[in-house]
Amino acid sequence: MVKKISTSILIEVSKGNEAAFKTLFDTYRPNIYTTALRVTNNEFMAEDIVQDTFVKVWINKHTLTHVDNFEKWLYVLSKNITLDILKKQAHYKTYAIEEAKAALIRVYPEADYLAQDKDFQGLLQKAIDRLPEKQKETYLLIREQYLKREEAATMLNVSPETVKSNLEQAMKSIRAYCLANMKEIPLVLLLHFYFKYF
């Protein structure tokens, strides 16, 4: 890891300080993303590796004050998540969702989490359903099937730049709709459904 964070930030994160956690996220996200992208050669999978890494940091925040070398610990964590994802790539979506749900249930009462998860899934689906057809098709191919931009372009018979543009518009539309209609949702649940443009 190139950048380092102060011990005081780690202490605040361990106490559940969300502002400190955002500082932690903003500091280390670029390096984790770049490394994951280099390994997977898939920008959307790299985003998911970032997401899963920081979900686990938040879940295990109470242990941070006992970590001797946080940068090394975070590197190993992200590396292991990357390896797991590559091994389970064919079944990645199911794996990631179940893994995150199990972690979330350890933090929040199961009934509360399941209700919040169902609410957010419903909200997300409404946001997707509202998209123009081309944006929706692009979103589903990239975010749900993990196709590369060029692969999606071939399937949709458009240029890779058109795929990029349609995805950007779709993500911004989904973000705006979800943020406008969300009620109180735990930070870690939002991270589980982290979007590139959030």
Side-chain angles (χ1 to χ4, degrees), residues 10-43:
L10 294 178
I11 292 173
E12 287 302 308
V13 173
S14 72
K15 296 177 181 178
N17 185 319
E18 294 187 4
F21 181 76
K22 185 178 185 304
T23 298
L24 193 74
F25 179 86
D26 290 342
T27 299
Y28 292 110
R29 179 198 174 280
N31 189 270
I32 293 175
Y33 174 79
T34 301
T35 302
L37 181 61
R38 189 180 303 121
V39 172
T40 64
N41 195 33
N42 185 308
E43 58 190 291

PDB file of all heavy atoms in Angstrom, residues 10-43:
ATOM      1  N   LEU A  10      -7.909   4.773  12.641  1.00  0.00           N
ATOM      2  CA  LEU A  10      -8.255   3.369  12.880  1.00  0.00           C
ATOM      3  C   LEU A  10      -9.027   3.208  14.189  1.00  0.00           C
ATOM      4  O   LEU A  10      -9.975   2.425  14.266  1.00  0.00           O
ATOM      5  CB  LEU A  10      -6.995   2.509  12.911  1.00  0.00           C
ATOM      6  CG  LEU A  10      -6.219   2.402  11.594  1.00  0.00           C
ATOM      7  CD1 LEU A  10      -4.965   1.569  11.790  1.00  0.00           C
ATOM      8  CD2 LEU A  10      -7.086   1.817  10.495  1.00  0.00           C
ATOM      9  N   ILE A  11      -8.629   3.955  15.191  1.00  0.00           N
ATOM     10  CA  ILE A  11      -9.326   3.896  16.484  1.00  0.00           C
ATOM     11  C   ILE A  11     -10.763   4.371  16.318  1.00  0.00           C
ATOM     12  O   ILE A  11     -11.709   3.756  16.835  1.00  0.00           O
ATOM     13  CB  ILE A  11      -8.589   4.748  17.540  1.00  0.00           C
ATOM     14  CG1 ILE A  11      -7.238   4.108  17.878  1.00  0.00           C
ATOM     15  CG2 ILE A  11      -9.447   4.899  18.804  1.00  0.00           C
ATOM     16  CD1 ILE A  11      -6.363   4.949  18.774  1.00  0.00           C
ATOM     17  N   GLU A  12     -10.941   5.461  15.576  1.00  0.00           N
ATOM     18  CA  GLU A  12     -12.289   5.987  15.358  1.00  0.00           C
ATOM     19  C   GLU A  12     -13.143   5.002  14.552  1.00  0.00           C
ATOM     20  O   GLU A  12     -14.321   4.811  14.816  1.00  0.00           O
ATOM     21  CB  GLU A  12     -12.217   7.340  14.650  1.00  0.00           C
ATOM     22  CG  GLU A  12     -11.736   8.481  15.522  1.00  0.00           C
ATOM     23  CD  GLU A  12     -12.616   8.647  16.748  1.00  0.00           C
ATOM     24  OE1 GLU A  12     -13.853   8.740  16.604  1.00  0.00           O
ATOM     25  OE2 GLU A  12     -12.059   8.680  17.864  1.00  0.00           O
ATOM     26  N   VAL A  13     -12.537   4.371  13.540  1.00  0.00           N
ATOM     27  CA  VAL A  13     -13.271   3.373  12.763  1.00  0.00           C
ATOM     28  C   VAL A  13     -13.691   2.221  13.656  1.00  0.00           C
ATOM     29  O   VAL A  13     -14.817   1.720  13.561  1.00  0.00           O
ATOM     30  CB  VAL A  13     -12.412   2.849  11.589  1.00  0.00           C
ATOM     31  CG1 VAL A  13     -13.114   1.694  10.894  1.00  0.00           C
ATOM     32  CG2 VAL A  13     -12.144   3.962  10.578  1.00  0.00           C
ATOM     33  N   SER A  14     -12.807   1.791  14.545  1.00  0.00           N
ATOM     34  CA  SER A  14     -13.112   0.674  15.441  1.00  0.00           C
ATOM     35  C   SER A  14     -14.282   0.993  16.360  1.00  0.00           C
ATOM     36  O   SER A  14     -14.975   0.095  16.832  1.00  0.00           O
ATOM     37  CB  SER A  14     -11.883   0.312  16.284  1.00  0.00           C
ATOM     38  OG  SER A  14     -11.621   1.289  17.283  1.00  0.00           O
ATOM     39  N   LYS A  15     -14.535   2.284  16.582  1.00  0.00           N
ATOM     40  CA  LYS A  15     -15.659   2.720  17.412  1.00  0.00           C
ATOM     41  C   LYS A  15     -16.951   2.869  16.605  1.00  0.00           C
ATOM     42  O   LYS A  15     -18.002   3.174  17.153  1.00  0.00           O
ATOM     43  CB  LYS A  15     -15.336   4.061  18.076  1.00  0.00           C
ATOM     44  CG  LYS A  15     -14.171   4.009  19.066  1.00  0.00           C
ATOM     45  CD  LYS A  15     -13.878   5.406  19.604  1.00  0.00           C
ATOM     46  CE  LYS A  15     -12.707   5.398  20.570  1.00  0.00           C
ATOM     47  NZ  LYS A  15     -12.398   6.791  21.053  1.00  0.00           N
ATOM     48  N   GLY A  16     -16.845   2.680  15.280  1.00  0.00           N
ATOM     49  CA  GLY A  16     -18.028   2.799  14.434  1.00  0.00           C
ATOM     50  C   GLY A  16     -18.224   4.174  13.840  1.00  0.00           C
ATOM     51  O   GLY A  16     -19.313   4.497  13.358  1.00  0.00           O
ATOM     52  N   ASN A  17     -17.171   4.995  13.825  1.00  0.00           N
ATOM     53  CA  ASN A  17     -17.251   6.348  13.271  1.00  0.00           C
ATOM     54  C   ASN A  17     -17.278   6.260  11.737  1.00  0.00           C
ATOM     55  O   ASN A  17     -16.288   5.906  11.105  1.00  0.00           O
ATOM     56  CB  ASN A  17     -16.045   7.179  13.733  1.00  0.00           C
ATOM     57  CG  ASN A  17     -16.121   8.623  13.288  1.00  0.00           C
ATOM     58  OD1 ASN A  17     -16.515   8.928  12.170  1.00  0.00           O
ATOM     59  ND2 ASN A  17     -15.741   9.534  14.165  1.00  0.00           N
ATOM     60  N   GLU A  18     -18.420   6.583  11.125  1.00  0.00           N
ATOM     61  CA  GLU A  18     -18.579   6.427   9.684  1.00  0.00           C
ATOM     62  C   GLU A  18     -17.763   7.448   8.892  1.00  0.00           C
ATOM     63  O   GLU A  18     -17.309   7.160   7.785  1.00  0.00           O
ATOM     64  CB  GLU A  18     -20.058   6.502   9.314  1.00  0.00           C
ATOM     65  CG  GLU A  18     -20.856   5.329   9.869  1.00  0.00           C
ATOM     66  CD  GLU A  18     -22.291   5.295   9.368  1.00  0.00           C
ATOM     67  OE1 GLU A  18     -22.645   6.141   8.518  1.00  0.00           O
ATOM     68  OE2 GLU A  18     -23.054   4.422   9.825  1.00  0.00           O
ATOM     69  N   ALA A  19     -17.558   8.639   9.461  1.00  0.00           N
ATOM     70  CA  ALA A  19     -16.740   9.648   8.778  1.00  0.00           C
ATOM     71  C   ALA A  19     -15.293   9.163   8.686  1.00  0.00           C
ATOM     72  O   ALA A  19     -14.626   9.323   7.655  1.00  0.00           O
ATOM     73  CB  ALA A  19     -16.814  10.980   9.524  1.00  0.00           C
ATOM     74  N   ALA A  20     -14.804   8.555   9.755  1.00  0.00           N
ATOM     75  CA  ALA A  20     -13.447   8.007   9.758  1.00  0.00           C
ATOM     76  C   ALA A  20     -13.346   6.843   8.779  1.00  0.00           C
ATOM     77  O   ALA A  20     -12.337   6.686   8.081  1.00  0.00           O
ATOM     78  CB  ALA A  20     -13.066   7.553  11.168  1.00  0.00           C
ATOM     79  N   PHE A  21     -14.396   6.048   8.714  1.00  0.00           N
ATOM     80  CA  PHE A  21     -14.403   4.920   7.781  1.00  0.00           C
ATOM     81  C   PHE A  21     -14.351   5.427   6.341  1.00  0.00           C
ATOM     82  O   PHE A  21     -13.677   4.846   5.489  1.00  0.00           O
ATOM     83  CB  PHE A  21     -15.642   4.058   7.995  1.00  0.00           C
ATOM     84  CG  PHE A  21     -15.704   2.866   7.084  1.00  0.00           C
ATOM     85  CD1 PHE A  21     -14.910   1.762   7.313  1.00  0.00           C
ATOM     86  CD2 PHE A  21     -16.550   2.859   5.990  1.00  0.00           C
ATOM     87  CE1 PHE A  21     -14.957   0.656   6.471  1.00  0.00           C
ATOM     88  CE2 PHE A  21     -16.606   1.762   5.145  1.00  0.00           C
ATOM     89  CZ  PHE A  21     -15.806   0.656   5.390  1.00  0.00           C
ATOM     90  N   LYS A  22     -15.061   6.514   6.054  1.00  0.00           N
ATOM     91  CA  LYS A  22     -15.025   7.090   4.702  1.00  0.00           C
ATOM     92  C   LYS A  22     -13.609   7.562   4.366  1.00  0.00           C
ATOM     93  O   LYS A  22     -13.142   7.399   3.238  1.00  0.00           O
ATOM     94  CB  LYS A  22     -16.007   8.250   4.591  1.00  0.00           C
ATOM     95  CG  LYS A  22     -16.107   8.809   3.161  1.00  0.00           C
ATOM     96  CD  LYS A  22     -17.121   9.924   3.053  1.00  0.00           C
ATOM     97  CE  LYS A  22     -17.281  10.376   1.604  1.00  0.00           C
ATOM     98  NZ  LYS A  22     -15.996  10.789   0.980  1.00  0.00           N
ATOM     99  N   THR A  23     -12.919   8.146   5.356  1.00  0.00           N
ATOM    100  CA  THR A  23     -11.534   8.564   5.149  1.00  0.00           C
ATOM    101  C   THR A  23     -10.667   7.358   4.829  1.00  0.00           C
ATOM    102  O   THR A  23      -9.829   7.395   3.915  1.00  0.00           O
ATOM    103  CB  THR A  23     -10.990   9.266   6.413  1.00  0.00           C
ATOM    104  OG1 THR A  23     -11.751  10.445   6.660  1.00  0.00           O
ATOM    105  CG2 THR A  23      -9.523   9.643   6.240  1.00  0.00           C
ATOM    106  N   LEU A  24     -10.881   6.276   5.563  1.00  0.00           N
ATOM    107  CA  LEU A  24     -10.141   5.038   5.326  1.00  0.00           C
ATOM    108  C   LEU A  24     -10.415   4.522   3.914  1.00  0.00           C
ATOM    109  O   LEU A  24      -9.499   4.161   3.175  1.00  0.00           O
ATOM    110  CB  LEU A  24     -10.578   3.998   6.362  1.00  0.00           C
ATOM    111  CG  LEU A  24      -9.719   2.740   6.492  1.00  0.00           C
ATOM    112  CD1 LEU A  24      -8.415   3.069   7.214  1.00  0.00           C
ATOM    113  CD2 LEU A  24     -10.480   1.675   7.284  1.00  0.00           C
ATOM    114  N   PHE A  25     -11.685   4.507   3.553  1.00  0.00           N
ATOM    115  CA  PHE A  25     -12.101   4.042   2.227  1.00  0.00           C
ATOM    116  C   PHE A  25     -11.460   4.878   1.128  1.00  0.00           C
ATOM    117  O   PHE A  25     -10.895   4.354   0.164  1.00  0.00           O
ATOM    118  CB  PHE A  25     -13.623   4.091   2.135  1.00  0.00           C
ATOM    119  CG  PHE A  25     -14.176   3.663   0.806  1.00  0.00           C
ATOM    120  CD1 PHE A  25     -14.411   2.315   0.543  1.00  0.00           C
ATOM    121  CD2 PHE A  25     -14.469   4.589  -0.182  1.00  0.00           C
ATOM    122  CE1 PHE A  25     -14.929   1.910  -0.684  1.00  0.00           C
ATOM    123  CE2 PHE A  25     -14.984   4.197  -1.405  1.00  0.00           C
ATOM    124  CZ  PHE A  25     -15.210   2.859  -1.653  1.00  0.00           C
ATOM    125  N   ASP A  26     -11.565   6.207   1.261  1.00  0.00           N
ATOM    126  CA  ASP A  26     -11.030   7.097   0.233  1.00  0.00           C
ATOM    127  C   ASP A  26      -9.508   6.977   0.103  1.00  0.00           C
ATOM    128  O   ASP A  26      -8.957   7.163  -0.990  1.00  0.00           O
ATOM    129  CB  ASP A  26     -11.395   8.556   0.560  1.00  0.00           C
ATOM    130  CG  ASP A  26     -12.883   8.828   0.397  1.00  0.00           C
ATOM    131  OD1 ASP A  26     -13.564   8.032  -0.270  1.00  0.00           O
ATOM    132  OD2 ASP A  26     -13.359   9.833   0.965  1.00  0.00           O
ATOM    133  N   THR A  27      -8.842   6.665   1.203  1.00  0.00           N
ATOM    134  CA  THR A  27      -7.385   6.562   1.189  1.00  0.00           C
ATOM    135  C   THR A  27      -6.899   5.308   0.472  1.00  0.00           C
ATOM    136  O   THR A  27      -5.972   5.359  -0.342  1.00  0.00           O
ATOM    137  CB  THR A  27      -6.833   6.564   2.629  1.00  0.00           C
ATOM    138  OG1 THR A  27      -7.193   7.785   3.273  1.00  0.00           O
ATOM    139  CG2 THR A  27      -5.307   6.426   2.630  1.00  0.00           C
ATOM    140  N   TYR A  28      -7.532   4.189   0.751  1.00  0.00           N
ATOM    141  CA  TYR A  28      -7.017   2.916   0.251  1.00  0.00           C
ATOM    142  C   TYR A  28      -7.738   2.362  -0.972  1.00  0.00           C
ATOM    143  O   TYR A  28      -7.235   1.445  -1.622  1.00  0.00           O
ATOM    144  CB  TYR A  28      -7.052   1.873   1.366  1.00  0.00           C
ATOM    145  CG  TYR A  28      -6.067   2.181   2.466  1.00  0.00           C
ATOM    146  CD1 TYR A  28      -6.513   2.597   3.714  1.00  0.00           C
ATOM    147  CD2 TYR A  28      -4.695   2.081   2.248  1.00  0.00           C
ATOM    148  CE1 TYR A  28      -5.607   2.894   4.727  1.00  0.00           C
ATOM    149  CE2 TYR A  28      -3.792   2.375   3.246  1.00  0.00           C
ATOM    150  CZ  TYR A  28      -4.254   2.783   4.484  1.00  0.00           C
ATOM    151  OH  TYR A  28      -3.354   3.083   5.473  1.00  0.00           O
ATOM    152  N   ARG A  29      -8.906   2.901  -1.296  1.00  0.00           N
ATOM    153  CA  ARG A  29      -9.649   2.385  -2.439  1.00  0.00           C
ATOM    154  C   ARG A  29      -8.846   2.406  -3.738  1.00  0.00           C
ATOM    155  O   ARG A  29      -8.828   1.400  -4.470  1.00  0.00           O
ATOM    156  CB  ARG A  29     -10.951   3.155  -2.635  1.00  0.00           C
ATOM    157  CG  ARG A  29     -11.743   2.667  -3.845  1.00  0.00           C
ATOM    158  CD  ARG A  29     -12.793   3.655  -4.312  1.00  0.00           C
ATOM    159  NE  ARG A  29     -13.410   3.188  -5.539  1.00  0.00           N
ATOM    160  CZ  ARG A  29     -12.876   3.306  -6.753  1.00  0.00           C
ATOM    161  NH1 ARG A  29     -11.703   3.896  -6.905  1.00  0.00           N
ATOM    162  NH2 ARG A  29     -13.499   2.837  -7.821  1.00  0.00           N
ATOM    163  N   PRO A  30      -8.180   3.527  -4.096  1.00  0.00           N
ATOM    164  CA  PRO A  30      -7.494   3.569  -5.396  1.00  0.00           C
ATOM    165  C   PRO A  30      -6.475   2.452  -5.573  1.00  0.00           C
ATOM    166  O   PRO A  30      -6.402   1.836  -6.648  1.00  0.00           O
ATOM    167  CB  PRO A  30      -6.819   4.950  -5.385  1.00  0.00           C
ATOM    168  CG  PRO A  30      -7.669   5.766  -4.457  1.00  0.00           C
ATOM    169  CD  PRO A  30      -8.082   4.826  -3.378  1.00  0.00           C
ATOM    170  N   ASN A  31      -5.680   2.177  -4.544  1.00  0.00           N
ATOM    171  CA  ASN A  31      -4.646   1.162  -4.659  1.00  0.00           C
ATOM    172  C   ASN A  31      -5.244  -0.231  -4.786  1.00  0.00           C
ATOM    173  O   ASN A  31      -4.800  -1.048  -5.599  1.00  0.00           O
ATOM    174  CB  ASN A  31      -3.716   1.227  -3.450  1.00  0.00           C
ATOM    175  CG  ASN A  31      -2.496   0.342  -3.617  1.00  0.00           C
ATOM    176  OD1 ASN A  31      -2.525  -0.819  -3.233  1.00  0.00           O
ATOM    177  ND2 ASN A  31      -1.431   0.877  -4.189  1.00  0.00           N
ATOM    178  N   ILE A  32      -6.289  -0.524  -3.994  1.00  0.00           N
ATOM    179  CA  ILE A  32      -6.938  -1.833  -4.061  1.00  0.00           C
ATOM    180  C   ILE A  32      -7.587  -2.025  -5.428  1.00  0.00           C
ATOM    181  O   ILE A  32      -7.488  -3.089  -6.041  1.00  0.00           O
ATOM    182  CB  ILE A  32      -7.972  -1.985  -2.922  1.00  0.00           C
ATOM    183  CG1 ILE A  32      -7.250  -2.032  -1.581  1.00  0.00           C
ATOM    184  CG2 ILE A  32      -8.816  -3.245  -3.121  1.00  0.00           C
ATOM    185  CD1 ILE A  32      -8.186  -2.061  -0.389  1.00  0.00           C
ATOM    186  N   TYR A  33      -8.259  -0.980  -5.905  1.00  0.00           N
ATOM    187  CA  TYR A  33      -8.923  -1.068  -7.211  1.00  0.00           C
ATOM    188  C   TYR A  33      -7.914  -1.315  -8.331  1.00  0.00           C
ATOM    189  O   TYR A  33      -8.113  -2.187  -9.181  1.00  0.00           O
ATOM    190  CB  TYR A  33      -9.702   0.210  -7.491  1.00  0.00           C
ATOM    191  CG  TYR A  33     -10.286   0.242  -8.891  1.00  0.00           C
ATOM    192  CD1 TYR A  33     -11.452  -0.452  -9.195  1.00  0.00           C
ATOM    193  CD2 TYR A  33      -9.640   0.932  -9.909  1.00  0.00           C
ATOM    194  CE1 TYR A  33     -11.979  -0.453 -10.475  1.00  0.00           C
ATOM    195  CE2 TYR A  33     -10.154   0.938 -11.199  1.00  0.00           C
ATOM    196  CZ  TYR A  33     -11.321   0.248 -11.474  1.00  0.00           C
ATOM    197  OH  TYR A  33     -11.825   0.239 -12.745  1.00  0.00           O
ATOM    198  N   THR A  34      -6.823  -0.558  -8.324  1.00  0.00           N
ATOM    199  CA  THR A  34      -5.814  -0.696  -9.375  1.00  0.00           C
ATOM    200  C   THR A  34      -5.208  -2.089  -9.385  1.00  0.00           C
ATOM    201  O   THR A  34      -5.024  -2.698 -10.443  1.00  0.00           O
ATOM    202  CB  THR A  34      -4.697   0.352  -9.179  1.00  0.00           C
ATOM    203  OG1 THR A  34      -5.266   1.666  -9.227  1.00  0.00           O
ATOM    204  CG2 THR A  34      -3.633   0.222 -10.252  1.00  0.00           C
ATOM    205  N   THR A  35      -4.910  -2.610  -8.200  1.00  0.00           N
ATOM    206  CA  THR A  35      -4.338  -3.953  -8.097  1.00  0.00           C
ATOM    207  C   THR A  35      -5.333  -5.007  -8.583  1.00  0.00           C
ATOM    208  O   THR A  35      -4.981  -5.918  -9.342  1.00  0.00           O
ATOM    209  CB  THR A  35      -3.931  -4.254  -6.647  1.00  0.00           C
ATOM    210  OG1 THR A  35      -2.992  -3.273  -6.204  1.00  0.00           O
ATOM    211  CG2 THR A  35      -3.301  -5.633  -6.541  1.00  0.00           C
ATOM    212  N   ALA A  36      -6.588  -4.873  -8.148  1.00  0.00           N
ATOM    213  CA  ALA A  36      -7.627  -5.829  -8.544  1.00  0.00           C
ATOM    214  C   ALA A  36      -7.857  -5.784 -10.050  1.00  0.00           C
ATOM    215  O   ALA A  36      -8.052  -6.822 -10.697  1.00  0.00           O
ATOM    216  CB  ALA A  36      -8.921  -5.541  -7.801  1.00  0.00           C
ATOM    217  N   LEU A  37      -7.832  -4.596 -10.623  1.00  0.00           N
ATOM    218  CA  LEU A  37      -8.033  -4.454 -12.065  1.00  0.00           C
ATOM    219  C   LEU A  37      -6.891  -5.103 -12.835  1.00  0.00           C
ATOM    220  O   LEU A  37      -7.107  -5.755 -13.859  1.00  0.00           O
ATOM    221  CB  LEU A  37      -8.137  -2.966 -12.430  1.00  0.00           C
ATOM    222  CG  LEU A  37      -8.370  -2.648 -13.902  1.00  0.00           C
ATOM    223  CD1 LEU A  37      -9.680  -3.261 -14.392  1.00  0.00           C
ATOM    224  CD2 LEU A  37      -8.378  -1.133 -14.119  1.00  0.00           C
ATOM    225  N   ARG A  38      -5.678  -4.949 -12.335  1.00  0.00           N
ATOM    226  CA  ARG A  38      -4.515  -5.549 -12.987  1.00  0.00           C
ATOM    227  C   ARG A  38      -4.628  -7.077 -13.001  1.00  0.00           C
ATOM    228  O   ARG A  38      -4.262  -7.736 -13.969  1.00  0.00           O
ATOM    229  CB  ARG A  38      -3.232  -5.127 -12.261  1.00  0.00           C
ATOM    230  CG  ARG A  38      -1.952  -5.529 -12.978  1.00  0.00           C
ATOM    231  CD  ARG A  38      -0.718  -5.094 -12.217  1.00  0.00           C
ATOM    232  NE  ARG A  38      -0.713  -3.667 -11.995  1.00  0.00           N
ATOM    233  CZ  ARG A  38      -0.670  -3.100 -10.784  1.00  0.00           C
ATOM    234  NH1 ARG A  38      -0.646  -3.852  -9.704  1.00  0.00           N
ATOM    235  NH2 ARG A  38      -0.652  -1.789 -10.661  1.00  0.00           N
ATOM    236  N   VAL A  39      -5.168  -7.628 -11.914  1.00  0.00           N
ATOM    237  CA  VAL A  39      -5.265  -9.087 -11.794  1.00  0.00           C
ATOM    238  C   VAL A  39      -6.448  -9.644 -12.591  1.00  0.00           C
ATOM    239  O   VAL A  39      -6.320 -10.650 -13.289  1.00  0.00           O
ATOM    240  CB  VAL A  39      -5.403  -9.495 -10.308  1.00  0.00           C
ATOM    241  CG1 VAL A  39      -5.702 -10.985 -10.179  1.00  0.00           C
ATOM    242  CG2 VAL A  39      -4.123  -9.146  -9.555  1.00  0.00           C
ATOM    243  N   THR A  40      -7.597  -8.989 -12.490  1.00  0.00           N
ATOM    244  CA  THR A  40      -8.816  -9.529 -13.103  1.00  0.00           C
ATOM    245  C   THR A  40      -9.033  -9.054 -14.532  1.00  0.00           C
ATOM    246  O   THR A  40      -9.766  -9.683 -15.298  1.00  0.00           O
ATOM    247  CB  THR A  40     -10.055  -9.133 -12.288  1.00  0.00           C
ATOM    248  OG1 THR A  40     -10.210  -7.693 -12.321  1.00  0.00           O
ATOM    249  CG2 THR A  40      -9.934  -9.598 -10.842  1.00  0.00           C
ATOM    250  N   ASN A  41      -8.445  -7.906 -14.877  1.00  0.00           N
ATOM    251  CA  ASN A  41      -8.661  -7.291 -16.193  1.00  0.00           C
ATOM    252  C   ASN A  41     -10.148  -7.028 -16.434  1.00  0.00           C
ATOM    253  O   ASN A  41     -10.629  -7.115 -17.556  1.00  0.00           O
ATOM    254  CB  ASN A  41      -8.096  -8.175 -17.310  1.00  0.00           C
ATOM    255  CG  ASN A  41      -7.975  -7.442 -18.633  1.00  0.00           C
ATOM    256  OD1 ASN A  41      -7.716  -6.236 -18.661  1.00  0.00           O
ATOM    257  ND2 ASN A  41      -8.178  -8.143 -19.733  1.00  0.00           N
ATOM    258  N   ASN A  42     -10.861  -6.719 -15.365  1.00  0.00           N
ATOM    259  CA  ASN A  42     -12.302  -6.465 -15.446  1.00  0.00           C
ATOM    260  C   ASN A  42     -12.630  -5.354 -14.450  1.00  0.00           C
ATOM    261  O   ASN A  42     -12.575  -5.571 -13.236  1.00  0.00           O
ATOM    262  CB  ASN A  42     -13.087  -7.735 -15.118  1.00  0.00           C
ATOM    263  CG  ASN A  42     -14.586  -7.556 -15.317  1.00  0.00           C
ATOM    264  OD1 ASN A  42     -15.186  -6.618 -14.804  1.00  0.00           O
ATOM    265  ND2 ASN A  42     -15.203  -8.464 -16.049  1.00  0.00           N
ATOM    266  N   GLU A  43     -12.943  -4.170 -14.964  1.00  0.00           N
ATOM    267  CA  GLU A  43     -13.130  -3.019 -14.084  1.00  0.00           C
ATOM    268  C   GLU A  43     -14.309  -3.190 -13.134  1.00  0.00           C
ATOM    269  O   GLU A  43     -14.287  -2.691 -12.006  1.00  0.00           O
ATOM    270  CB  GLU A  43     -13.303  -1.735 -14.908  1.00  0.00           C
ATOM    271  CG  GLU A  43     -14.455  -1.757 -15.877  1.00  0.00           C
ATOM    272  CD  GLU A  43     -14.427  -0.567 -16.823  1.00  0.00           C
ATOM    273  OE1 GLU A  43     -14.661   0.563 -16.352  1.00  0.00           O
ATOM    274  OE2 GLU A  43     -14.169  -0.769 -18.023  1.00  0.00           O
TER     275      GLU A  43
END
